[in-house]
Every structure is written in C-alpha cells, then in structure tokens.
Amino acid sequence: MRLLTKALIGAFSFALVSTPVIAQEVIQFGVGLYQPDKDKNDATYTPLAQYLEKKLGKPVKLRTVSSWEGLAKSLANGETDIALMGPWGYVLANNEAKAQAVATIEYEGKPEYFGIMVTNPKSGIKSMADLKGKTFAFGDKGSTSGYLIPFHYFQKQGINPDTYFSKVINTSHQAIQTQVTQGAIDAGADYNRNRDAMIADGLIKAEDSKIIWTSDPLQRCVCSQLEIV
C-alpha cells in the first residue's frame, strides 16, 4: 500500500503545484472503503491527508465513506470538499454540485485502471454463456468498475442480470473477491487494482481468482468543489 500512497501523492502534487487559498478552515477529504476495513483504509490514506495539509496550509480531515454512491453524494452535499473517486462518481458529483476533476491517479506509470469480472477457476466458468443461471455480485451502484461498466456490458450483450443469473447481490469489492475465491458466489465484478492489492497482501490467493472479462481503460479522478478565494 506504500506504493499506492506514493502514486496518490504524485497525482496531487501535479494538481496543487500552485497552492490555492481555501475558504474552509478544515478541509474534509473523502475516500471510499478501498481496503478491507476502515483502520487499514485510514492507514493508507492518512499520509495523503497529511500531504494535503502541507500543500494547502489547512487542517485536512480524512473521511472514509462506506459506499461509492455515498461518496459522490457527500461531495455533492458539501460533507466532503475533496474526494477520490471513479468516473461514475465524478459524473454524479458534477451533475449534482458541479464538482470538478483536478487530477488523475497513476498506477504503474499510467493514469488508468480496469474493470474486471472474476470467478474461481474451479467453477468451470470460461465465458459469459457459462454465467447463465449462476450467482453474480456487483459492487454498490455508485461504483464505476463494480457496477456501471459491467452492467452496461451486459446490456450491450442483451443480458438482463435479474433474469440471466440465479441470484444477484451488491456488496463491497473486497467481499466480492473473498466470496469468489471461497466459492460462496460464482462470479463478480471488481477492478484490477483491488484484486492485485488483495493478492499482494495475502488476503486472497491468485490461483483462486480467475479474470474472465476486462473493460476498456478507466481513470480514477480527484474531484473538488472547494471555494477558492
């Protein structure tokens, strides 16, 4: 997770090269629950919050929001001032409160990540046709990679998830990977960086998680509606 933090700080250093004057006395920095629990999430993003304090000259309070839809809404209603989110979250926040993207996040030198669908290799699932009648998990409905992009893909294929699958659930990215590797669900939607991080941290085994579909490149953005004075 140290590399992730460095990448995030690099993105902000581009966006904040000229330090603005912010009207708020305390800046609320919203992040989604990228890690399996809040403590790990806070440990990952606290250095970034501290970096922002130094650059902006204001106290920055880290605020973890449990769902991606909730994160977009919190930016729109002013509960958070800066938020790290995917393209769908940006669209929601921009539509509701004219929030603007001020930076993108680089992973391994590229400003992109990918939505994926995963299954357990023992499931025998190799294609979309093999998913018919199986159980499938989406992320929450504010997630770009976990919901919007795979749902749109199914639409283009003429697939109605409610009738194509025997059961559809919405849960967290981490839970999707865990339940797929355990065989509790047949397949689910996620994003490649989460799968890679969970494997690197020993939370799942690579041999128990098989990618059966990958989206076009996506970009995660840093969005803000701070009042500059």
Side-chain angles (χ1 to χ4, degrees):
M1 296 308 169
R2 187 175 302 171
L3 291 176
L4 173 61
T5 302
K6 288 176 67 178
L8 292 170
I9 289 175
F12 269 107
S13 64
F14 172 79
L16 302 174
V17 63
S18 297
T19 305
V21 179
I22 308 299
Q24 285 87 331
E25 287 302 316
V26 178
I27 298 167
Q28 303 290 330
F29 174 40
V31 296
L33 195 61
Y34 290 92
Q35 306 303 321
D37 59 59
K38 186 177 182 300
D39 289 342
K40 289 184 178 180
N41 214 69
D42 288 350
T44 298
Y45 291 97
T46 293
L48 182 53
Q50 294 170 341
Y51 173 85
L52 286 171
E53 283 191 343
K54 181 179 179 181
K55 279 290 182 179
L56 298 174
K58 298 277 186 176
V60 174
K61 183 178 180 181
L62 184 64
R63 186 171 185 270
T64 295
V65 182
S66 61
S67 76
W68 306 110
E69 186 177 17
L71 181 59
K73 288 180 178 179
S74 73
L75 186 64
N77 64 27
E79 291 178 348
T80 59
D81 303 307
I82 298 174
L84 179 62
M85 56 181 57
W88 180 224
Y90 162 72
V91 170
L92 293 174
N94 177 265
N95 183 64
E96 294 294 326
K98 306 303 180 185
Q100 297 297 311
V102 297
T104 58
I105 304 302
E106 288 191 352
Y107 295 116
E108 299 177 351
K110 296 181 179 180
E112 61 187 29
Y113 69 108
F114 299 87
I116 58 175
M117 294 184 202
V118 294
T119 187
N120 190 310
K122 296 179 181 178
S123 71
I125 296 170
K126 299 179 180 179
S127 67
M128 290 300 113
D130 296 329
L131 285 173
K132 188 172 184 179
K134 304 295 186 180
T135 55
F136 190 88
F138 289 105
D140 75 65
K141 293 186 177 181
S143 171
T144 304
S145 59
Y147 181 77
L148 180 67
I149 298 301
F151 188 84
H152 178 60
Y153 171 79
F154 287 136
Q155 285 186 317
K156 291 195 299 181
Q157 301 301 310
I159 294 173
N160 179 348
D162 291 334
T163 57
Y164 194 77
F165 303 118
S166 61
K167 183 180 180 181
V168 176
I169 65 172
N170 294 85
T171 187
S172 70
H173 288 278
Q174 293 80 13
I176 290 170
Q177 287 289 350
T178 299
Q179 292 179 41
V180 164
T181 58
Q182 293 174 346
I185 54 176
D186 295 311
D190 191 19
Y191 61 101
N192 64 314
R193 294 298 301 179
N194 179 62
R195 178 179 179 272
D196 293 346
M198 291 185 71
I199 291 171
D201 289 348
L203 298 173
I204 61 172
K205 295 180 179 179
E207 58 266 29
D208 294 332
S209 174
K210 176 184 176 181
I211 299 174
I212 57 173
W213 175 84
T214 301
S215 74
D216 291 334
L218 304 169
Q219 288 190 337
R220 178 165 288 120
C221 64
V222 179
C223 298
S224 173
Q225 59 167 3
L226 289 174
E227 180 185 354
I228 311 298
V229 297

